[in-house]
Amino acid sequence: MAKEVAILGVGMHPWGKWGKNFVEYGLKACNDALDDAGLAWKDIEVVAGAETVRNGYAGYVAGATFAEALGWSGARVSTSYAACASGAQAINNARAMILADMADVILVVGADTTPKGFLAPNAGERWTDPDWLRFRLMGCTNPTYFALYARRRMDLYGATEADFAAVKVKNARHGMANPNARYHKEFTQEQVLNSPMVADPLRLLEICATSDGAAAVIVSSMEYARKMNVDPIKIRAVSTVTPVYPQSTIEMPYFSTDSAAVVPAPMMEFKESIAHAAYEEAGLGPEDMSLAEVYDLSSALELDWCENVGLCKKGDAEKLLRDGETTLGGRIPVNPSGGLACFGEAVPAQALAQVCELTWQLRGQAGGRQVEGAKAGITANLGLFGHGSSVICSI
Amino acid sequence: MSESKIAPSIEGWYTCGESPHLIGTRCKRCSSYFFPKQEVFCRNPGCRSTEFDEIELSRKGKIWSYTEHFYAPPEPYIFSEPFEPYIIAAVELEEEKMIILGQMAQGVLSQDLTTGLEVELVVEKLYEQDGTDYTVWKWKPAEN
């Protein structure tokens, strides 16, 4: 079991398309997190930034960018990039420094400004980059992968388009009570099913948008928290595992899997292994969780994640959904924040936003989307090119 | 009218002719298959070989899943206006035990596909640019 670190403060800039520089969003999240923690900027020893690759050099050196914007204080900085999992890597850097007694209190931040439409590779010809080649050789977009998984669920487990729509309806309802969500609009199943088909069987309202947004988390040693006289939410685990060869599930951005002809495929597929490592580290299991924040890049993908984080057996996620267990008030609410369905993705901020939500839920500060009596929660996410991301927090 | 030239959209990834194949590699030491070609280091964590044979992969496989796209993807995908929906299939090769993505051949309809359907490799035009037809590998329901 890993040693615990404390969450002293969290803050977010609402998600949306605000047309501003990502630094402005990040600063708001940082200052909110400082206020939430009752700390001043000069108290922060390290800034751990999650990188954005869409905002030039300032984005590549996110840790330093935010340290400069807050006012150079001599704080150390680090910057992490792991695509959608960047925030988890940044938190893990902060945690490692605290557990190594290199620092007591660290500000973790991620922010992004995104273009409209499909996420596309950066410009230029790159004939050895699978992320570039998949678009060039076959027009393979991110929704392609979501749709391949969704179709597979229909064929293997009898999922229906109505199930996928029901996930969107649920998350849209959850997000109504979240002031940081981008979309505050309820949908009926019929409205979702009447939205345009993007990548069959997934429709426009079932595929997450790209958003601007920012999230910040202040972590400290347990001793530091005690000295501040607070009983903090604790980070029990941060899983940043990579796949085990041969990776035999088709994953973004690859257009082939590894071959399992010589070395047999591992017992656990990659997405399962991410949460498994987090549970092992926390000394907790799925049965201990009060809620889960999972990466619903598509409505159907939430069903995969429910199984991959162990909320039910493989093939049972539709039943869990239909029985209302993953809705607020159910046995294990999934994405009470509203999830990506209500946020859209702001890549470097997203894994941190999941941790902000766990913190508010576990403190009982989640207002109209509160999971009653929440004691522990898990986040799950996966970044392009083999980056696992899962954080477990508890009271 | 001059006949348009034909060229592969990427060199050395597939053979042409009646029965085209994808070109992969096989590790000389552990026999693991790779596509795209792995030529420098073996990705099997238990093998440190740096020598590979170039091989033709099975040209038939079974559909693992598929999806039809109704919106034009962003660059660097190249297409002619008006945009036509296209299908991408994930195809499982039995011998190599790997899944390879590819568009379905032109004219294949989504409603004719099912998971498990046997398909075979074809080489077909992907886009036209400056009088040249650039080809790519695609999948097509197998003829029995």
Side-chain angles (χ1 to χ4, degrees), chain A residues 345-370:
Chain A
E345 192 182 16
V347 173
Q350 214 66 48
L352 296 172
Q354 292 181 318
V355 175
C356 291
E357 179 66 10
L358 289 195
T359 304
W360 283 316
Q361 289 287 352
L362 295 170
R363 286 175 178 171
Q365 296 175 335
R369 61 182 197 284
Q370 182 64 47

Side-chain angles (χ1 to χ4, degrees), chain A residues 149-199:
Chain A
Y149 304 146
R151 166 81 59 203
R152 192 81 186 148
R153 284 205 77 82
M154 295 173 92
D155 286 349
L156 285 189
Y157 307 132
T160 63
E161 290 192 40
D163 288 324
F164 303 153
V167 173
K168 172 70 178 189
V169 169
K170 166 183 77 74
N171 288 347
R173 194 179 304 129
H174 288 174
M176 292 294 285
N178 193 338
N180 288 311
R182 174 176 172 184
Y183 303 108
H184 297 101
K185 186 175 186 320
E186 285 209 61
F187 291 99
T188 62
Q189 230 163 334
E190 199 183 1
Q191 285 170 317
V192 178
L193 291 171
N194 282 329
S195 68
M197 193 68 91
V198 174

Side-chain angles (χ1 to χ4, degrees), chain A residues 127 132 135-136 138-139 144 147-148 151-152 155 196-200 245 255-260 262-263, chain B residues 9 13 30-31 35 43 45 64-71 76-77 86 88 96-99 101 103 115 126:
Chain A
W127 290 93
W132 187 85
F135 284 91
R136 180 57 159 251
M138 60 186 84
T144 303
L148 291 173
R151 166 81 59 203
R152 192 81 186 148
D155 286 349
M197 193 68 91
V198 174
D200 176 28
Y245 180 89
F255 39 80
S256 58
T257 63
D258 290 333
S259 161
V262 172
V263 181
Chain B
S9 56
W13 281 42
C30 77
S31 303
F35 179 82
R43 291 212 317 269
W64 183 85
S65 190
Y66 60 96
T67 173
E68 183 167 15
H69 294 67
F70 295 89
Y71 283 82
Y77 188 65
Y86 58 97
I88 289 180
E96 293 85 352
K97 288 195 167 50
M98 65 198 297
I99 294 171
L101 301 184
Q103 284 193 2
T115 299
L126 178 65

Side-chain angles (χ1 to χ4, degrees), chain A residues 121 124-125 127 132-141, chain B residues 8-10 71-84 86 103 106 124-136 138:
Chain A
E125 295 205 349
W127 290 93
W132 187 85
L133 284 169
R134 66 174 167 127
F135 284 91
R136 180 57 159 251
L137 297 179
M138 60 186 84
C140 186
T141 63
Chain B
S9 56
I10 187 162
Y71 283 82
E75 288 180 352
Y77 188 65
I78 302 169
F79 63 95
S80 315
E81 298 285 357
F83 167 77
E84 294 275 350
Y86 58 97
Q103 284 193 2
Q106 269 172 358
E124 211 177 63
K125 175 180 157 183
L126 178 65
Y127 61 92
E128 188 256 317
Q129 207 172 41
D130 303 327
T132 301
D133 282 347
Y134 288 91
T135 62
V136 78
K138 295 187 184 181

